[in-house]
Amino acid sequence: MAMLFLNLPVKDLPASREFFGKLGFAFNDDFSDDRAASLVLGSDAHVMLLTEEFFATFTGKSLADAAKTTEMIAAIGVDTRQRVDEIVDTALAAGGQASQETSEQEGMYGRSFQDLDGHLWEVVYMGN
């Protein structure tokens, strides 16, 4: 099985770390410093929050302004509808912005938000 590492540029690393900490996510301090924070989504899934300056060293392309353009949508699967609501409600209370309307389809419930930098996140419960 492969591990997944998403890399996202952030304007204010301490603020982003605090934001995601409020959502209940842990960080791996072995892979974090003043330029990067390793956000742990699961044993095989991590998001590297990188200062914009540090992120830029990994690409020759200009950085997208996530508040104006969409480069990706990160989706997180959770084990209950309640957890979907907890994460998104906490994100909104911590300074995140609402994104799409709540999605409810047969066997799936999801909500979304934009983080402090405008990156799009979906939180989804896929029940049976």
Side-chain angles (χ1 to χ4, degrees):
M1 177 179 282
M3 292 181 71
L4 174 66
F5 290 90
L6 298 176
N7 296 285
L8 291 179
V10 299
K11 294 183 184 333
D12 184 335
L13 184 60
S16 292
R17 188 174 173 133
E18 180 181 356
F19 176 81
F20 285 102
K22 286 180 181 177
L23 303 187
F25 294 108
F27 290 87
N28 182 336
D29 288 329
D30 290 338
F31 301 107
S32 300
D33 58 24
D34 61 335
R35 302 179 303 166
S38 178
L39 172 66
V40 179
L41 296 178
S43 61
D44 294 325
H46 308 265
V47 177
M48 295 301 297
L49 304 173
L50 307 174
T51 63
E52 289 180 333
E53 297 79 19
F54 188 45
F55 185 96
T57 67
F58 295 96
T59 180
K61 294 182 177 183
S62 60
L63 300 182
D65 180 349
K68 296 179 182 176
T69 61
T70 300
E71 74 282 16
M72 64 170 247
I73 300 172
I76 303 168
V78 297
D79 56 355
T80 66
R81 290 172 60 107
Q82 179 182 356
R83 186 70 180 130
V84 170
D85 291 335
E86 287 172 359
I87 291 173
V88 175
D89 289 343
T90 302
L92 299 177
Q97 298 295 315
S99 187
Q100 298 294 323
E101 295 292 323
T102 298
S103 173
E104 195 159 6
Q105 300 173 14
E106 186 175 330
M108 187 178 89
Y109 175 74
R111 292 178 60 196
S112 58
F113 66 90
Q114 297 179 54
D115 67 17
L116 301 178
D117 291 285
H119 300 292
L120 300 176
W121 293 81
E122 289 183 349
V123 186
V124 180
Y125 166 67
M126 298 170 113
N128 295 337

